[in-house]
Coordinates of all heavy atoms in Angstrom, one line a residue:
M46 N 81.3 -125.0 -73.0 CA 81.0 -126.2 -73.7 C 81.9 -127.3 -73.1 O 83.1 -127.2 -73.2 CB 81.3 -126.1 -75.2 CG 80.3 -125.2 -76.0 SD 80.6 -125.2 -77.7 CE 79.3 -124.1 -78.2
T47 N 81.3 -128.3 -72.6 CA 81.9 -129.3 -71.8 C 81.5 -130.8 -72.5 O 80.4 -130.9 -73.2 CB 81.8 -129.5 -70.3 OG1 80.3 -129.5 -70.2 CG2 82.3 -128.2 -69.7
G48 N 82.2 -131.7 -72.2 CA 81.9 -133.1 -72.7 C 82.3 -133.5 -74.0 O 83.4 -134.3 -74.2
R49 N 81.8 -132.9 -75.1 CA 82.1 -133.3 -76.5 C 83.4 -132.6 -76.8 O 83.9 -131.4 -76.3 CB 81.0 -132.9 -77.4 CG 80.7 -131.5 -77.5 CD 79.5 -131.2 -78.3 NE 79.4 -129.7 -78.2 CZ 78.5 -129.0 -78.8 NH1 77.7 -129.7 -79.5 NH2 78.4 -127.7 -78.7
T50 N 84.2 -133.2 -77.7 CA 85.4 -132.5 -78.3 C 85.1 -131.7 -79.5 O 84.5 -132.2 -80.3 CB 86.4 -133.7 -78.7 OG1 86.6 -134.5 -77.6 CG2 87.7 -133.1 -79.3
I51 N 85.5 -130.5 -79.4 CA 85.4 -129.5 -80.5 C 86.6 -129.5 -81.3 O 87.7 -129.3 -80.8 CB 85.0 -128.2 -79.9 CG1 83.9 -128.1 -79.0 CG2 84.8 -127.1 -81.0 CD1 82.5 -128.6 -79.6
L52 N 86.4 -129.6 -82.6 CA 87.5 -129.4 -83.5 C 87.7 -128.0 -83.8 O 86.9 -127.4 -84.4 CB 87.3 -130.1 -84.9 CG 87.4 -131.6 -85.0 CD1 87.2 -132.1 -86.3 CD2 88.9 -132.0 -84.5
V53 N 88.9 -127.4 -83.3 CA 89.2 -126.0 -83.5 C 90.1 -125.9 -84.7 O 91.2 -126.4 -84.6 CB 89.9 -125.5 -82.2 CG1 90.4 -124.1 -82.5 CG2 88.8 -125.5 -81.0
V54 N 89.7 -125.3 -85.7 CA 90.5 -125.3 -87.0 C 91.2 -123.9 -87.1 O 90.4 -123.0 -87.2 CB 89.6 -125.6 -88.1 CG1 90.4 -125.6 -89.5 CG2 88.9 -127.0 -88.0
L55 N 92.5 -124.0 -87.1 CA 93.2 -122.7 -87.2 C 93.5 -122.6 -88.7 O 94.4 -123.4 -89.2 CB 94.4 -122.8 -86.4 CG 94.2 -122.9 -84.8 CD1 95.4 -123.0 -84.0 CD2 93.1 -121.9 -84.3
A56 N 93.0 -121.5 -89.4 CA 93.3 -121.4 -90.9 C 93.4 -119.9 -91.0 O 93.1 -119.0 -90.2 CB 92.0 -121.8 -91.5
I57 N 94.1 -119.6 -92.1 CA 94.5 -118.1 -92.4 C 93.3 -117.3 -92.6 O 93.1 -116.0 -92.2 CB 95.5 -117.9 -93.4 CG1 96.0 -116.5 -93.5 CG2 95.0 -118.5 -94.8 CD1 97.4 -116.4 -94.2
N58 N 92.3 -117.9 -93.2 CA 91.0 -117.3 -93.3 C 89.8 -118.3 -93.6 O 90.1 -119.5 -93.4 CB 91.1 -116.3 -94.6 CG 91.5 -117.1 -95.9 OD1 91.1 -118.2 -96.0 ND2 92.3 -116.5 -96.7
Y59 N 88.6 -117.6 -93.7 CA 87.5 -118.6 -93.7 C 87.5 -119.6 -94.9 O 87.0 -120.7 -94.9 CB 86.1 -117.8 -93.6 CG 84.9 -118.7 -93.4 CD1 84.8 -119.2 -92.1 CD2 84.0 -118.9 -94.3 CE1 83.6 -119.9 -91.8 CE2 82.9 -119.7 -94.1 CZ 82.7 -120.2 -92.9 OH 81.7 -121.0 -92.5
D60 N 88.0 -119.0 -96.0 CA 88.2 -119.8 -97.3 C 89.0 -121.0 -97.1 O 88.6 -122.2 -97.5 CB 88.7 -119.0 -98.4 CG 87.7 -117.9 -98.9 OD1 86.4 -118.2 -98.7 OD2 88.0 -117.0 -99.6
E61 N 90.1 -120.8 -96.4 CA 91.0 -122.0 -96.1 C 90.3 -123.0 -95.1 O 90.4 -124.2 -95.2 CB 92.3 -121.6 -95.4 CG 93.3 -122.7 -95.3 CD 94.6 -122.4 -94.7 OE1 94.7 -121.6 -93.8 OE2 95.6 -122.9 -95.3
F62 N 89.6 -122.6 -94.1 CA 88.7 -123.4 -93.3 C 87.7 -124.1 -94.0 O 87.6 -125.4 -93.8 CB 88.0 -122.3 -92.1 CG 86.9 -123.1 -91.5 CD1 87.2 -124.1 -90.4 CD2 85.6 -122.9 -91.6 CE1 86.2 -124.6 -89.8 CE2 84.6 -123.3 -91.0 CZ 84.9 -124.4 -90.0
R63 N 87.0 -123.5 -94.9 CA 85.9 -124.2 -95.6 C 86.7 -125.3 -96.6 O 86.1 -126.4 -96.7 CB 85.2 -123.2 -96.5 CG 84.1 -122.4 -95.8 CD 83.2 -121.8 -96.7 NE 83.5 -121.5 -97.9 CZ 83.7 -120.4 -98.5 NH1 83.4 -119.2 -97.9 NH2 84.1 -120.3 -99.9
A64 N 87.8 -125.0 -97.2 CA 88.4 -125.9 -97.9 C 88.9 -127.1 -97.1 O 88.8 -128.2 -97.4 CB 89.7 -125.4 -98.7
W65 N 89.5 -126.9 -95.9 CA 89.8 -128.0 -95.0 C 88.5 -128.9 -94.7 O 88.7 -130.1 -94.7 CB 90.4 -127.5 -93.8 CG 90.8 -128.6 -92.8 CD1 92.1 -129.3 -92.9 CD2 89.9 -129.1 -91.8 NE1 92.0 -130.2 -91.9 CE2 90.8 -130.3 -91.2 CE3 88.8 -128.9 -91.3 CZ2 90.2 -131.0 -90.2 CZ3 88.3 -129.7 -90.3 CH2 89.0 -130.7 -89.8
C66 N 87.4 -128.3 -94.4 CA 86.3 -128.9 -94.1 C 85.8 -129.8 -95.3 O 85.7 -131.1 -95.2 CB 85.1 -128.0 -93.7 SG 85.2 -127.2 -92.2
R67 N 85.9 -129.2 -96.5 CA 85.4 -130.1 -97.7 C 86.4 -131.2 -97.7 O 86.0 -132.3 -98.0 CB 85.6 -129.0 -98.7 CG 85.1 -129.8 -100.2 CD 85.5 -129.0 -101.5 NE 87.0 -128.7 -101.4 CZ 87.4 -127.5 -101.4 NH1 86.8 -126.5 -101.4 NH2 88.8 -127.4 -101.6
D68 N 87.8 -130.9 -97.6 CA 88.8 -132.0 -97.9 C 88.6 -133.1 -96.7 O 89.1 -134.3 -97.1 CB 90.0 -131.5 -97.9 CG 90.4 -130.6 -99.2 OD1 89.5 -130.6 -100.1 OD2 91.3 -129.8 -99.1
S69 N 88.1 -132.8 -95.6 CA 88.0 -133.6 -94.6 C 86.6 -134.4 -94.4 O 86.5 -135.1 -93.5 CB 88.3 -132.9 -93.2 OG 89.6 -132.4 -93.3
G70 N 85.8 -133.9 -95.3 CA 84.4 -134.5 -95.4 C 83.5 -134.0 -94.2 O 82.5 -134.7 -93.8
L71 N 83.8 -132.8 -93.7 CA 83.1 -132.3 -92.7 C 82.4 -130.9 -93.2 O 82.8 -130.3 -94.1 CB 84.0 -131.9 -91.4 CG 84.8 -133.0 -90.8 CD1 85.7 -132.5 -89.9 CD2 83.6 -133.8 -90.0
S72 N 81.3 -130.5 -92.4 CA 80.7 -129.4 -92.8 C 81.1 -128.1 -92.1 O 81.3 -128.2 -90.8 CB 79.0 -129.6 -92.5 OG 78.5 -128.2 -92.7
P73 N 81.3 -126.9 -92.7 CA 81.7 -125.7 -91.9 C 80.6 -125.4 -91.0 O 80.9 -124.4 -90.1 CB 82.0 -124.8 -93.1 CG 81.5 -125.2 -94.4 CD 81.3 -126.8 -94.0
D74 N 79.5 -125.8 -91.1 CA 78.3 -125.4 -90.4 C 78.1 -126.2 -89.1 O 77.3 -126.1 -88.3 CB 76.9 -125.3 -91.2 CG 77.0 -124.5 -92.3 OD1 77.6 -123.3 -92.1 OD2 76.6 -124.8 -93.5
D75 N 78.9 -127.5 -89.1 CA 78.9 -128.2 -87.9 C 79.2 -127.6 -86.7 O 80.3 -127.0 -86.7 CB 79.8 -129.5 -88.2 CG 79.7 -130.6 -87.1 OD1 79.3 -130.2 -86.0 OD2 80.0 -131.7 -87.5
P76 N 78.4 -127.5 -85.6 CA 78.8 -126.9 -84.3 C 79.9 -127.3 -83.6 O 80.6 -126.8 -82.7 CB 77.5 -126.8 -83.5 CG 76.7 -128.2 -84.1 CD 77.1 -128.3 -85.5
E77 N 80.5 -128.6 -84.0 CA 81.6 -129.1 -83.4 C 82.8 -129.0 -84.3 O 84.0 -129.5 -83.8 CB 81.3 -130.7 -83.1 CG 80.1 -130.9 -82.0 CD 79.9 -132.3 -81.7 OE1 80.8 -133.2 -82.1 OE2 79.0 -132.6 -81.2
V78 N 82.7 -128.2 -85.2 CA 83.9 -127.9 -86.2 C 84.0 -126.3 -86.2 O 83.0 -125.6 -86.8 CB 83.8 -128.4 -87.6 CG1 85.0 -128.0 -88.3 CG2 83.8 -130.0 -87.5
V79 N 84.9 -125.7 -85.5 CA 84.8 -124.2 -85.3 C 86.1 -123.5 -86.0 O 87.3 -124.0 -85.7 CB 84.9 -123.9 -83.8 CG1 84.9 -122.4 -83.5 CG2 83.7 -124.6 -83.2
F80 N 85.8 -122.4 -86.8 CA 86.9 -121.7 -87.3 C 87.3 -120.7 -86.3 O 86.3 -119.9 -85.7 CB 86.5 -120.9 -88.6 CG 87.3 -119.9 -89.0 CD1 88.6 -120.0 -89.3 CD2 86.9 -118.6 -89.1 CE1 89.6 -119.2 -89.9 CE2 87.7 -117.5 -89.7 CZ 89.0 -117.9 -89.9
V81 N 88.5 -120.5 -85.9 CA 88.8 -119.5 -84.9 C 89.9 -118.6 -85.5 O 90.9 -118.9 -86.0 CB 89.6 -120.3 -83.6 CG1 90.2 -119.4 -82.7 CG2 88.7 -121.3 -83.1
D82 N 89.4 -117.2 -85.4 CA 90.2 -116.2 -86.1 C 90.7 -115.2 -85.0 O 91.5 -114.2 -85.3 CB 89.3 -115.4 -87.1 CG 88.1 -114.8 -86.6 OD1 87.8 -115.1 -85.4 OD2 87.6 -113.9 -87.3
N83 N 90.4 -115.4 -83.8 CA 91.0 -114.6 -82.7 C 91.0 -115.5 -81.4 O 90.1 -116.4 -81.3 CB 90.4 -113.2 -82.4 CG 89.1 -113.2 -82.1 OD1 88.6 -113.8 -81.0 ND2 88.1 -112.8 -82.8
E84 N 91.7 -115.1 -80.5 CA 91.8 -116.0 -79.2 C 90.6 -115.9 -78.4 O 90.2 -116.9 -77.7 CB 93.0 -115.6 -78.3 CG 93.0 -114.2 -77.6 CD 93.7 -113.2 -78.6 OE1 93.7 -113.3 -79.8 OE2 93.9 -112.2 -78.0
Y85 N 89.8 -114.9 -78.6 CA 88.4 -114.7 -77.7 C 87.4 -115.8 -78.2 O 86.4 -116.1 -77.5 CB 87.9 -113.3 -77.9 CG 89.0 -112.3 -77.4 CD1 89.6 -111.5 -78.2 CD2 89.3 -112.3 -76.0 CE1 90.7 -110.6 -77.7 CE2 90.3 -111.5 -75.5 CZ 91.0 -110.6 -76.4 OH 92.0 -109.7 -76.0
R86 N 87.6 -116.2 -79.5 CA 86.6 -117.2 -80.0 C 86.7 -118.5 -79.3 O 85.8 -119.3 -79.3 CB 86.9 -117.5 -81.4 CG 86.1 -118.4 -82.2 CD 84.6 -117.8 -82.4 NE 83.9 -118.7 -83.1 CZ 83.0 -119.6 -82.6 NH1 82.7 -119.8 -81.3 NH2 82.3 -120.4 -83.5
L87 N 87.8 -118.8 -78.5 CA 88.1 -119.9 -77.8 C 87.4 -119.9 -76.4 O 87.4 -120.9 -75.8 CB 89.6 -120.2 -77.6 CG 90.2 -120.5 -78.9 CD1 91.7 -120.4 -78.7 CD2 90.0 -121.9 -79.3
C88 N 87.0 -118.8 -75.9 CA 86.3 -118.6 -74.7 C 85.1 -119.7 -74.7 O 84.2 -119.7 -75.4 CB 85.7 -117.2 -74.4 SG 87.1 -116.1 -74.3
G89 N 85.1 -120.3 -73.6 CA 84.1 -121.2 -73.2 C 84.3 -122.7 -73.6 O 83.6 -123.5 -73.2
F90 N 85.3 -122.9 -74.4 CA 85.7 -124.2 -74.8 C 86.6 -125.0 -73.7 O 87.4 -124.3 -73.2 CB 86.3 -124.3 -76.1 CG 85.5 -123.9 -77.3 CD1 85.8 -122.7 -78.1 CD2 84.4 -124.6 -77.7 CE1 85.0 -122.4 -79.1 CE2 83.6 -124.2 -78.8 CZ 83.9 -123.0 -79.5
S91 N 86.3 -126.3 -73.4 CA 87.1 -126.8 -72.4 C 87.7 -128.0 -73.1 O 88.6 -128.6 -72.5 CB 86.4 -127.1 -71.3 OG 85.1 -128.0 -71.6
N92 N 87.1 -128.8 -74.1 CA 87.6 -130.0 -74.5 C 87.9 -129.8 -76.1 O 86.8 -129.9 -76.8 CB 86.7 -131.1 -74.2 CG 87.3 -132.5 -74.7 OD1 88.4 -132.6 -74.8 ND2 86.5 -133.5 -74.6
I93 N 89.0 -129.6 -76.5 CA 89.3 -129.2 -77.9 C 90.4 -130.0 -78.6 O 91.3 -130.6 -77.8 CB 89.6 -127.7 -78.2 CG1 90.9 -127.4 -77.4 CG2 88.5 -126.8 -77.7 CD1 91.4 -126.0 -77.8
K94 N 90.3 -130.2 -79.8 CA 91.4 -130.7 -80.6 C 91.8 -129.8 -81.6 O 90.8 -129.3 -82.4 CB 90.9 -132.1 -81.3 CG 92.1 -132.7 -82.1 CD 91.8 -134.0 -82.8 CE 93.0 -134.4 -83.7 NZ 92.6 -135.7 -84.3
V95 N 93.0 -129.4 -81.7 CA 93.4 -128.2 -82.7 C 93.8 -128.8 -83.9 O 94.7 -129.8 -84.0 CB 94.4 -127.3 -82.0 CG1 94.9 -126.3 -83.0 CG2 94.0 -126.7 -80.7
I96 N 93.4 -128.3 -85.0 CA 93.9 -128.5 -86.4 C 94.6 -127.3 -86.9 O 93.9 -126.3 -86.9 CB 92.7 -129.0 -87.3 CG1 91.9 -130.1 -86.7 CG2 93.2 -129.3 -88.7 CD1 92.6 -131.4 -86.5
R97 N 95.7 -127.4 -87.4 CA 96.4 -126.3 -88.0 C 96.5 -126.4 -89.6 O 97.1 -127.4 -89.9 CB 97.8 -126.0 -87.4 CG 97.7 -125.6 -86.0 CD 99.1 -125.5 -85.4 NE 99.0 -125.0 -84.0 CZ 98.5 -125.7 -83.0 NH1 98.2 -126.9 -83.0 NH2 98.5 -125.0 -81.6
C98 N 95.9 -125.5 -90.3 CA 95.9 -125.6 -91.7 C 97.3 -125.1 -92.3 O 97.9 -124.5 -91.5 CB 94.7 -124.9 -92.3 SG 93.1 -125.5 -92.0
R99 N 97.5 -125.5 -93.5 CA 98.8 -125.2 -94.1 C 99.3 -123.7 -93.9 O 100.4 -123.5 -93.6 CB 98.7 -125.5 -95.7 CG 100.0 -125.1 -96.3 CD 99.8 -125.5 -97.7 NE 100.0 -126.9 -97.8 CZ 100.1 -127.8 -98.9 NH1 100.1 -127.1 -100.1 NH2 100.1 -129.0 -98.9
H100 N 98.5 -122.7 -94.2 CA 98.9 -121.3 -94.1 C 98.6 -120.6 -92.8 O 98.8 -119.4 -92.7 CB 98.1 -120.6 -95.3 CG 98.4 -121.2 -96.6 ND1 99.6 -121.1 -97.2 CD2 97.6 -121.9 -97.5 CE1 99.6 -121.7 -98.4 NE2 98.4 -122.1 -98.5
W101 N 98.3 -121.4 -91.7 CA 98.0 -120.9 -90.6 C 99.0 -119.9 -90.1 O 98.6 -118.9 -89.4 CB 97.7 -122.0 -89.6 CG 97.8 -121.5 -88.1 CD1 98.7 -121.8 -87.2 CD2 96.8 -120.6 -87.5 NE1 98.5 -121.2 -86.0 CE2 97.3 -120.4 -86.2 CE3 95.8 -119.8 -88.0 CZ2 96.6 -119.6 -85.3 CZ3 95.1 -119.1 -87.1 CH2 95.6 -119.0 -85.8
G102 N 100.3 -120.3 -90.2 CA 101.4 -119.6 -89.5 C 101.5 -118.1 -90.0 O 102.0 -117.3 -89.4
S103 N 100.7 -117.7 -91.2 CA 100.7 -116.4 -91.7 C 99.6 -115.6 -91.1 O 99.5 -114.3 -91.5 CB 100.6 -116.5 -93.2 OG 101.7 -117.1 -93.8
H104 N 98.8 -116.2 -90.3 CA 97.6 -115.4 -89.8 C 98.2 -114.3 -88.7 O 99.1 -114.7 -88.0 CB 96.7 -116.4 -88.9 CG 95.6 -115.8 -88.5 ND1 95.3 -114.9 -87.4 CD2 94.3 -115.9 -88.8 CE1 94.1 -114.5 -87.2 NE2 93.5 -115.0 -88.1
P105 N 97.6 -113.2 -88.8 CA 98.3 -112.1 -87.9 C 98.2 -112.3 -86.4 O 99.0 -111.6 -85.7 CB 97.5 -110.8 -88.4 CG 96.3 -111.3 -89.0 CD 96.6 -112.7 -89.6
H106 N 97.2 -113.1 -85.9 CA 97.1 -113.5 -84.5 C 97.6 -114.9 -84.2 O 97.1 -115.6 -83.2 CB 95.8 -113.1 -84.0 CG 95.3 -111.8 -84.4 ND1 95.7 -110.7 -83.8 CD2 94.4 -111.4 -85.2 CE1 95.3 -109.6 -84.2 NE2 94.4 -109.9 -85.2
A107 N 98.3 -115.5 -85.1 CA 98.6 -117.0 -85.0 C 99.2 -117.4 -83.6 O 98.8 -118.2 -83.0 CB 99.5 -117.4 -86.1
L108 N 100.2 -116.5 -83.1 CA 100.9 -116.9 -81.9 C 99.9 -116.8 -80.7 O 99.8 -117.7 -79.9 CB 102.0 -115.8 -81.7 CG 102.8 -116.1 -80.4 CD1 103.4 -117.6 -80.4 CD2 104.0 -115.1 -80.2
R109 N 99.1 -115.7 -80.5 CA 98.2 -115.6 -79.4 C 97.1 -116.7 -79.5 O 96.8 -117.3 -78.4 CB 97.6 -114.3 -79.4 CG 98.4 -113.1 -78.9 CD 97.8 -111.9 -78.8 NE 97.3 -111.5 -80.2 CZ 96.7 -110.3 -80.5 NH1 96.5 -109.3 -79.6 NH2 96.3 -110.0 -81.7
I110 N 96.6 -117.0 -80.6 CA 95.6 -118.0 -80.7 C 96.2 -119.4 -80.5 O 95.6 -120.2 -79.6 CB 95.0 -118.0 -82.1 CG1 94.2 -116.6 -82.3 CG2 94.0 -119.2 -82.3 CD1 93.7 -116.4 -83.9
S111 N 97.3 -119.6 -81.0 CA 97.9 -120.8 -80.6 C 98.3 -121.2 -79.3 O 98.1 -122.2 -78.7 CB 99.3 -121.1 -81.5 OG 98.9 -121.4 -82.8
Q112 N 98.8 -120.3 -78.6 CA 99.0 -120.2 -77.2 C 97.7 -120.4 -76.3 O 97.8 -121.3 -75.4 CB 99.8 -118.9 -76.7 CG 101.1 -118.7 -77.2 CD 101.8 -117.4 -76.8 OE1 101.1 -116.4 -76.6 NE2 103.1 -117.4 -76.7
T113 N 96.7 -119.8 -76.7 CA 95.4 -120.0 -76.0 C 94.9 -121.4 -76.2 O 94.4 -122.0 -75.2 CB 94.5 -119.0 -76.4 OG1 94.9 -117.7 -76.2 CG2 93.2 -119.0 -75.6
A114 N 95.1 -121.9 -77.5 CA 94.6 -123.3 -77.8 C 95.4 -124.3 -77.0 O 94.8 -125.3 -76.5 CB 94.5 -123.5 -79.2
E115 N 96.6 -124.0 -76.9 CA 97.5 -125.1 -76.3 C 97.3 -125.1 -74.7 O 97.2 -126.2 -74.2 CB 99.0 -124.7 -76.5 CG 99.3 -125.1 -77.8 CD 100.8 -124.5 -78.2 OE1 101.5 -124.2 -77.3 OE2 101.1 -124.4 -79.4
I116 N 96.8 -124.0 -74.2 CA 96.5 -124.0 -72.6 C 95.3 -124.8 -72.6 O 95.2 -125.7 -71.6 CB 96.3 -122.6 -72.2 CG1 97.7 -121.9 -72.1 CG2 95.6 -122.5 -70.9 CD1 97.5 -120.4 -72.0
I117 N 94.3 -124.6 -73.4 CA 93.0 -125.4 -73.2 C 93.2 -126.8 -73.5 O 92.8 -127.7 -72.6 CB 92.0 -124.8 -74.1 CG1 91.6 -123.4 -73.8 CG2 90.6 -125.8 -74.2 CD1 90.8 -122.6 -74.9
E118 N 94.1 -127.3 -74.5 CA 94.4 -128.6 -74.7 C 95.0 -129.2 -73.5 O 94.7 -130.3 -73.2 CB 95.1 -128.7 -75.9 CG 94.4 -128.6 -77.3 CD 95.4 -128.9 -78.5 OE1 96.5 -128.4 -78.6 OE2 95.0 -129.9 -79.2
Q119 N 95.9 -128.7 -72.9 CA 96.8 -129.1 -71.8 C 95.9 -129.4 -70.6 O 96.2 -130.4 -69.8 CB 97.9 -128.2 -71.4 CG 99.0 -128.2 -72.5 CD 100.1 -127.1 -72.3 OE1 100.0 -126.5 -71.3 NE2 101.1 -127.2 -73.2
R120 N 94.9 -128.6 -70.4 CA 94.1 -128.8 -69.2 C 93.2 -130.1 -69.4 O 92.9 -130.6 -68.3 CB 93.0 -127.7 -69.3 CG 93.5 -126.4 -68.8 CD 92.4 -125.2 -68.7 NE 93.0 -124.0 -68.5 CZ 92.5 -122.8 -68.7 NH1 91.3 -122.8 -69.5 NH2 93.1 -121.6 -68.5
N121 N 93.1 -130.7 -70.5 CA 92.3 -131.8 -70.7 C 93.2 -133.1 -70.9 O 92.6 -134.1 -71.2 CB 91.3 -131.7 -71.9 CG 90.3 -130.7 -71.6 OD1 89.6 -130.9 -70.6 ND2 90.1 -129.6 -72.4
R122 N 94.5 -133.0 -70.9 CA 95.2 -134.1 -71.0 C 95.4 -134.9 -69.7 O 95.5 -134.2 -68.6 CB 96.7 -133.7 -71.5 CG 96.8 -133.2 -72.9 CD 98.2 -133.1 -73.3 NE 98.1 -132.5 -74.7 CZ 98.9 -131.6 -75.1 NH1 99.9 -131.0 -74.4 NH2 98.9 -131.1 -76.4
P123 N 95.3 -136.2 -69.8 CA 95.6 -136.8 -68.5 C 96.9 -136.6 -67.9 O 97.9 -136.5 -68.6 CB 95.4 -138.4 -69.0 CG 95.1 -138.4 -70.4 CD 95.3 -137.0 -71.0
S124 N 96.9 -136.6 -66.6 CA 98.1 -136.4 -65.8 C 99.1 -137.5 -65.8 O 98.7 -138.7 -65.9 CB 97.8 -136.0 -64.4 OG 96.9 -134.8 -64.3

């Protein structure tokens, strides 16, 4: 996926993701708002903005997912 910016929402679970969407006025069904529960879910994304929810740090794969998301974000920052 290129061109458009995808909001990658890192949440401890889908319920927290849905709550974040509701509080932000976004739909959890929006294809540009994505719940990521493992690093492989990030495959194919090239232009992302990462949102970390309150309880994200307790996710069992938080470190691996965060590292992968940061690599993708850094690729799109201006030099």
